[in-house]
Amino acid sequence: MKVEVENQEALVDEKVRIRIFDLLPYSQLRVSLKMELPWCSGEEFSSYAVFIAGESGEIDLDTAIPIEGTYKTADSMGLIYSLEQNKSEGKNIGEHISVDNPILMNLLFEASAEKKEIQLKRCFKTDDIQIKPIHGDFTGQLFYKQNSGNKTILMLGGSDGHMESLYLMAAPLASKGFNVLTVSYFNSEGLPEKLEEVPLEYFEKIFNWLATSKITDTKDIYIHGTSKGGELALLLASRYKQIKKVVAVEPHTYCFQALDGLTNGKNVSSWSYHGKSIPFIQVDNDIFFEDRKKDMEKGIPFGFTSTYRKSIEKAKNRWEARIKVENSQADILLICGEKDNIWNSHEACREIINHLENSDYFHHYEIMSFENMGHPLPIPYIIPLNFTLSIPMDGGVFTSGGTLEGNAEGQYASFQRTIEFFHQNS
């Protein structure tokens, strides 16, 4: 048995190709994969697939459909995106995230009379990436290459508030030729503890730092925002003309009520300006609890999308709460999944596109919509998708939406487009 692997050592977002030769014609081959995330030893994930060789004794995982396994399509990346947890020491993979060490993935190929092992090395960043902690007017981390003159992307995360999780995307993106600045915008020094009335003036300090830092030295701002950070990215672009490019992943077109964890908090906006709440739509927790109960009685996973959709329908102030994206001076890329079960980002993105079209928006705008994608991380092949597709919660099962294959396809295609979009001249 001969195994050929392209991209055996690569960045985490890059695809591998796996081909196997010199098998007995029509013989069976089992391929399995095991890995631990480098910052969380003891939490083991595994996947497998079983194939039948052709008459030539060859199997190409990009074209061969497994007869059994943790995924169902012809795809060399199937073993990676279908990883499932098979051993746990009770650690939280969302804590103590680090991009210093690569993910090591161990492949085992088992034919009738032969075994072979190969290790994949999946790096978060190239060796020339520097990481600079920022303290003072704001808290952040800058990922950059020395003396590169690269464009700078300001990266905004979602409502979990964990800046560390942004490193998983910032490091690979910086390795593609950008400076990437990750920042927290709540639950940090000088900021609200919860996602409530976050002052937009805070970002003016960040914009000033980007314009005056010797590393970034730019007045043109690029922003990448995910989920609640996508809402924020669009809001900032509608008010600050120095923002020239925006990638909003799973965003919304409205400003919403403050959050306290997963459900709504105080009856104030998530955002403020000059000490006043920016107009917002109230989110009715009672809708969530009622819909969750119905889903649990039906034995189906629950989410938050119906809560947001019905809250919008009830709202009498939709015009005031809508983010006036048409006032932006930025190129805009919207990314969403039609099966988003966190909130109705697909409907929101379509509404945004309609407003841009009706206002004869001068700058470039586009939407990437994926039929079977839900609300995954915006970068593929790192956190196993099964982690968010089925989560036991409050006596039921929560899902962020979409299918395994649909989320994997959307993550990869949208991240590749994100890189291209930020590199393109305006």
Side-chain angles (χ1 to χ4, degrees), residues 41-104:
S41 63
E43 304 301 303
E44 187 177 272
F45 298 85
S46 64
S47 60
Y48 80 99
V50 178
F51 303 92
I52 301 295
E55 183 179 3
S56 64
E58 298 179 5
I59 298 174
D60 183 341
L61 266 61
D62 265 348
T63 58
I65 297 174
I67 61 168
E68 178 188 331
T70 50
Y71 71 102
K72 300 176 182 178
T73 59
D75 190 345
S76 280
M77 300 306 293
L79 288 163
I80 294 178
Y81 68 64
S82 69
L83 283 161
E84 300 173 347
Q85 190 158 22
N86 66 298
K87 188 173 74 174
S88 175
E89 295 181 0
K91 297 178 181 177
N92 184 347
I93 65 169
E95 295 179 350
H96 312 298
I97 291 174
S98 171
V99 293
D100 293 335
N101 298 313
I103 302 174
L104 301 178

Side-chain angles (χ1 to χ4, degrees), residues 137-374:
D137 288 338
F138 66 94
T139 300
Q141 294 263 18
L142 180 67
F143 295 74
Y144 70 101
K145 294 181 182 180
Q146 198 76 39
N147 303 318
S148 66
N150 287 338
K151 295 287 188 181
T152 300
I153 300 166
L154 172 62
M155 186 170 287
L156 306 170
S159 59
D160 64 0
H162 295 152
M163 190 172 69
E164 285 182 347
S165 62
L166 295 177
Y167 304 166
L168 300 177
M169 185 165 54
L173 198 53
S175 301
K176 304 292 185 181
F178 304 99
N179 304 318
V180 183
L181 176 63
T182 64
V183 299
S184 54
Y185 54 87
F186 71 100
N187 195 25
S188 187
E189 185 178 352
L191 290 169
E193 182 182 348
K194 297 174 181 176
L195 212 172
E196 57 186 40
E197 294 193 315
V198 174
L200 297 190
E201 296 93 324
Y202 169 72
F203 295 94
E204 295 172 6
K205 298 175 184 177
I206 297 172
F207 298 159
N208 182 63
W209 186 89
L210 289 170
T212 56
S213 166
K214 292 181 180 179
I215 298 173
T216 53
D217 187 26
T218 180
K219 291 182 173 60
D220 291 346
I221 308 296
Y222 292 1
I223 296 189
H224 185 288
T226 301
S227 192
K228 196 69 177 176
E231 174 189 330
L232 174 57
L234 294 171
L235 177 62
L236 291 170
S238 73
R239 290 170 170 252
Y240 295 96
K241 307 309 179 191
Q242 62 266 52
I243 296 173
K244 299 303 181 185
K245 280 183 180 284
V246 175
V247 174
V249 184
E250 303 140 8
H252 219 290
T253 186
Y254 297 101
C255 292
F256 285 99
Q257 184 174 349
L259 285 175
D260 183 359
L262 293 175
T263 54
N264 67 10
K266 292 181 181 178
N267 190 27
V268 296
S269 179
S270 297
W271 324 109
S272 70
Y273 191 66
H274 289 169
K276 294 182 179 180
S277 268
I278 288 173
F280 66 98
I281 287 179
Q282 288 181 289
V283 180
D284 190 341
N285 279 347
D286 289 339
I287 296 173
F288 167 69
F289 292 125
E290 182 180 334
D291 286 355
R292 182 183 67 176
K293 181 182 177 182
K294 290 178 181 176
D295 289 342
M296 290 169 64
E297 288 172 349
K298 294 176 184 176
I300 61 175
F302 65 86
F304 298 93
T305 292
S306 63
T307 305
Y308 279 92
R309 182 182 292 119
K310 292 175 183 178
S311 295
I312 293 166
E313 290 170 356
K314 284 176 58 177
K316 306 297 184 185
N317 65 333
R318 288 195 291 270
W319 188 89
E320 292 84 357
R322 185 179 68 81
I323 298 168
K324 309 304 187 291
V325 183
E326 61 272 20
N327 294 336
S328 307
Q329 299 293 317
D331 294 341
I332 297 172
L333 169 61
L334 303 173
I335 296 167
C336 58
E338 294 183 26
K339 302 297 191 298
D340 191 334
N341 206 36
I342 299 293
W343 60 4
N344 54 331
S345 66
H346 177 254
E347 294 167 14
C349 286
R350 288 295 179 193
E351 184 174 344
I352 291 168
I353 292 295
N354 287 339
H355 285 296
L356 294 176
E357 288 176 346
N358 292 336
S359 64
D360 294 324
Y361 190 67
F362 177 75
H363 301 277
H364 175 82
Y365 59 94
E366 64 180 278
I367 182 172
M368 290 188 79
S369 176
F370 297 92
E371 181 180 1
N372 291 310
M373 187 173 85

